Amino acid sequence: PGFPRVKYEMYSDPLFVKTVNEMIDTTIKESQQPPENTLDLILFNTTTIAREITRINKQTKEGALRYLENEIANLKNQADALEYNDPVLIENIKSYEAQYIEMQQAKIEENNYLAKFSDFTNPHMPSKAFKPPPPPLQKNFSEIFSINDPNLLLKNQDQVQNEIHNFYQQLYTRVPATGNFFDFVNFSMKTVTPEENEKLVKPITMQEVAQFIKTLSPHKAPGITGLTSAFYITFWDKIKNLVLNATN
């Protein structure tokens, strides 16, 4: 359940930041819902925008690869048609080929990351390249000591069995209670003072929320919205009043 995680890198994408900023302005202006519902709507729209921009970026990368392929083929045809070696043409071919190789390598690394991420989040459908981690090494304990006497070395199976038997016998043996029961019942519990209670019930301040968000890591696991604290940090100036009202 929930939405896919919005990658941290998205918050440095100008198109994503611009689109989300515009969406937040429009949503706050037009929403007639309570603050918490308006904030939920903004979170939902943000994940939708991130998914769409990711799709656009992927198509753009594919288009760039096809463009480089065509340019390399065209330049090579031009070079083959010439009766001499054109240094500018050769340099352009090398430049395009280097760009193509770099983009292909980035694509391979991204696919490997996605496959690895899928392997650990969906172990029932691992990728073909997935190699599960080796099982943990079993430690062989050559020496076992008694719980009651740490200096007593257990030398055979019978001693180990007796040690286990004695442990559970002591664990489940009823020990008569000592002391006065009413001393326990009438134990004086610490209470909240009126001054402390006043601090606890007063509204949460903007500074408290801001300080809390700053303590969160933008790389930690998100909630069901797929958004980490990076969302709140990036768009804090626009949503801070909404967050404060939703919190209180």
mmCIF file of all heavy atoms in Angstrom, residues 27 31-44 242 246:
data_model
loop_
_atom_site.group_PDB
_atom_site.id
_atom_site.type_symbol
_atom_site.label_atom_id
_atom_site.label_comp_id
_atom_site.label_asym_id
_atom_site.label_seq_id
_atom_site.Cartn_x
_atom_site.Cartn_y
_atom_site.Cartn_z
ATOM 1 N N THR A 27 -3.420 24.790 -5.005
ATOM 2 C CA THR A 27 -4.185 23.968 -4.071
ATOM 3 C C THR A 27 -4.578 24.767 -2.829
ATOM 4 O O THR A 27 -5.731 24.701 -2.374
ATOM 5 C CB THR A 27 -3.373 22.727 -3.658
ATOM 6 O OG1 THR A 27 -2.986 22.004 -4.822
ATOM 7 C CG2 THR A 27 -4.198 21.815 -2.758
ATOM 8 N N SER A 31 -8.512 25.277 -2.289
ATOM 9 C CA SER A 31 -9.051 24.250 -1.402
ATOM 10 C C SER A 31 -9.986 24.842 -0.357
ATOM 11 O O SER A 31 -9.692 25.870 0.259
ATOM 12 C CB SER A 31 -7.911 23.498 -0.698
ATOM 13 O OG SER A 31 -8.432 22.564 0.223
ATOM 14 N N GLN A 32 -11.120 24.171 -0.159
ATOM 15 C CA GLN A 32 -12.070 24.535 0.880
ATOM 16 C C GLN A 32 -12.058 23.511 2.015
ATOM 17 O O GLN A 32 -12.923 23.533 2.890
ATOM 18 C CB GLN A 32 -13.484 24.613 0.279
ATOM 19 C CG GLN A 32 -13.615 25.594 -0.881
ATOM 20 C CD GLN A 32 -13.377 27.018 -0.447
ATOM 21 O OE1 GLN A 32 -13.741 27.407 0.669
ATOM 22 N NE2 GLN A 32 -12.756 27.823 -1.311
ATOM 23 N N GLN A 33 -11.072 22.615 1.993
ATOM 24 C CA GLN A 33 -10.990 21.533 2.962
ATOM 25 C C GLN A 33 -10.228 21.991 4.221
ATOM 26 O O GLN A 33 -9.527 22.994 4.192
ATOM 27 C CB GLN A 33 -10.273 20.335 2.343
ATOM 28 C CG GLN A 33 -10.948 19.773 1.108
ATOM 29 C CD GLN A 33 -12.291 19.133 1.435
ATOM 30 O OE1 GLN A 33 -12.456 18.517 2.486
ATOM 31 N NE2 GLN A 33 -13.246 19.297 0.548
ATOM 32 N N PRO A 34 -10.357 21.234 5.319
ATOM 33 C CA PRO A 34 -9.549 21.523 6.516
ATOM 34 C C PRO A 34 -8.060 21.413 6.202
ATOM 35 O O PRO A 34 -7.684 20.777 5.207
ATOM 36 C CB PRO A 34 -10.000 20.434 7.506
ATOM 37 C CG PRO A 34 -11.327 19.976 7.014
ATOM 38 C CD PRO A 34 -11.301 20.124 5.530
ATOM 39 N N PRO A 35 -7.210 22.008 7.016
ATOM 40 C CA PRO A 35 -5.765 22.014 6.724
ATOM 41 C C PRO A 35 -5.184 20.623 6.512
ATOM 42 O O PRO A 35 -4.372 20.424 5.601
ATOM 43 C CB PRO A 35 -5.160 22.685 7.970
ATOM 44 C CG PRO A 35 -6.258 23.505 8.526
ATOM 45 C CD PRO A 35 -7.526 22.785 8.225
ATOM 46 N N GLU A 36 -5.591 19.654 7.346
ATOM 47 C CA GLU A 36 -5.011 18.317 7.207
ATOM 48 C C GLU A 36 -5.402 17.660 5.887
ATOM 49 O O GLU A 36 -4.591 16.953 5.265
ATOM 50 C CB GLU A 36 -5.415 17.415 8.382
ATOM 51 C CG GLU A 36 -6.914 17.244 8.595
ATOM 52 C CD GLU A 36 -7.515 18.319 9.472
ATOM 53 O OE1 GLU A 36 -6.904 19.391 9.627
ATOM 54 O OE2 GLU A 36 -8.615 18.073 10.010
ATOM 55 N N ASN A 37 -6.633 17.910 5.416
ATOM 56 C CA ASN A 37 -7.061 17.345 4.132
ATOM 57 C C ASN A 37 -6.362 18.047 2.961
ATOM 58 O O ASN A 37 -6.012 17.414 1.960
ATOM 59 C CB ASN A 37 -8.578 17.469 3.977
ATOM 60 C CG ASN A 37 -9.336 16.599 4.961
ATOM 61 O OD1 ASN A 37 -8.739 15.775 5.645
ATOM 62 N ND2 ASN A 37 -10.640 16.776 5.050
ATOM 63 N N THR A 38 -6.179 19.342 3.087
ATOM 64 C CA THR A 38 -5.467 20.092 2.048
ATOM 65 C C THR A 38 -4.021 19.617 1.947
ATOM 66 O O THR A 38 -3.482 19.446 0.845
ATOM 67 C CB THR A 38 -5.496 21.596 2.359
ATOM 68 O OG1 THR A 38 -6.856 22.032 2.479
ATOM 69 C CG2 THR A 38 -4.806 22.393 1.260
ATOM 70 N N LEU A 39 -3.404 19.371 3.082
ATOM 71 C CA LEU A 39 -2.029 18.875 3.084
ATOM 72 C C LEU A 39 -1.953 17.483 2.462
ATOM 73 O O LEU A 39 -1.028 17.189 1.687
ATOM 74 C CB LEU A 39 -1.488 18.836 4.511
ATOM 75 C CG LEU A 39 -0.018 18.425 4.673
ATOM 76 C CD1 LEU A 39 0.903 19.375 3.911
ATOM 77 C CD2 LEU A 39 0.363 18.391 6.148
ATOM 78 N N ASP A 40 -2.922 16.633 2.760
ATOM 79 C CA ASP A 40 -2.963 15.302 2.143
ATOM 80 C C ASP A 40 -3.069 15.407 0.622
ATOM 81 O O ASP A 40 -2.438 14.636 -0.113
ATOM 82 C CB ASP A 40 -4.146 14.492 2.686
ATOM 83 C CG ASP A 40 -3.896 13.973 4.087
ATOM 84 O OD1 ASP A 40 -2.720 13.932 4.496
ATOM 85 O OD2 ASP A 40 -4.869 13.613 4.782
ATOM 86 N N LEU A 41 -3.881 16.348 0.159
ATOM 87 C CA LEU A 41 -4.050 16.541 -1.281
ATOM 88 C C LEU A 41 -2.742 16.994 -1.922
ATOM 89 O O LEU A 41 -2.364 16.527 -3.004
ATOM 90 C CB LEU A 41 -5.149 17.564 -1.541
ATOM 91 C CG LEU A 41 -5.490 17.860 -3.008
ATOM 92 C CD1 LEU A 41 -5.947 16.583 -3.717
ATOM 93 C CD2 LEU A 41 -6.578 18.928 -3.098
ATOM 94 N N ILE A 42 -2.021 17.883 -1.251
ATOM 95 C CA ILE A 42 -0.723 18.352 -1.766
ATOM 96 C C ILE A 42 0.273 17.200 -1.822
ATOM 97 O O ILE A 42 1.016 17.050 -2.797
ATOM 98 C CB ILE A 42 -0.194 19.500 -0.882
ATOM 99 C CG1 ILE A 42 -1.031 20.760 -1.117
ATOM 100 C CG2 ILE A 42 1.282 19.777 -1.180
ATOM 101 C CD1 ILE A 42 -0.672 21.911 -0.197
ATOM 102 N N LEU A 43 0.296 16.361 -0.806
ATOM 103 C CA LEU A 43 1.210 15.217 -0.781
ATOM 104 C C LEU A 43 0.887 14.250 -1.924
ATOM 105 O O LEU A 43 1.786 13.752 -2.610
ATOM 106 C CB LEU A 43 1.111 14.497 0.565
ATOM 107 C CG LEU A 43 1.524 15.308 1.798
ATOM 108 C CD1 LEU A 43 1.306 14.497 3.067
ATOM 109 C CD2 LEU A 43 2.960 15.757 1.701
ATOM 110 N N PHE A 44 -0.390 13.979 -2.127
ATOM 111 C CA PHE A 44 -0.805 13.088 -3.208
ATOM 112 C C PHE A 44 -0.410 13.664 -4.564
ATOM 113 O O PHE A 44 0.140 12.963 -5.424
ATOM 114 C CB PHE A 44 -2.314 12.855 -3.149
ATOM 115 C CG PHE A 44 -2.868 12.151 -4.358
ATOM 116 C CD1 PHE A 44 -2.736 10.786 -4.502
ATOM 117 C CD2 PHE A 44 -3.522 12.871 -5.349
ATOM 118 C CE1 PHE A 44 -3.241 10.131 -5.611
ATOM 119 C CE2 PHE A 44 -4.024 12.235 -6.466
ATOM 120 C CZ PHE A 44 -3.886 10.853 -6.599
ATOM 121 N N LEU A 242 0.306 25.690 6.684
ATOM 122 C CA LEU A 242 -0.604 24.562 6.503
ATOM 123 C C LEU A 242 -0.225 23.414 7.444
ATOM 124 O O LEU A 242 -1.092 22.807 8.085
ATOM 125 C CB LEU A 242 -0.569 24.098 5.044
ATOM 126 C CG LEU A 242 -1.684 23.163 4.577
ATOM 127 C CD1 LEU A 242 -3.033 23.852 4.694
ATOM 128 C CD2 LEU A 242 -1.436 22.750 3.135
ATOM 129 N N ALA A 246 -2.473 22.018 10.525
ATOM 130 C CA ALA A 246 -2.854 20.604 10.503
ATOM 131 C C ALA A 246 -2.377 19.893 11.760
ATOM 132 O O ALA A 246 -3.030 18.967 12.260
ATOM 133 C CB ALA A 246 -2.268 19.921 9.270
#
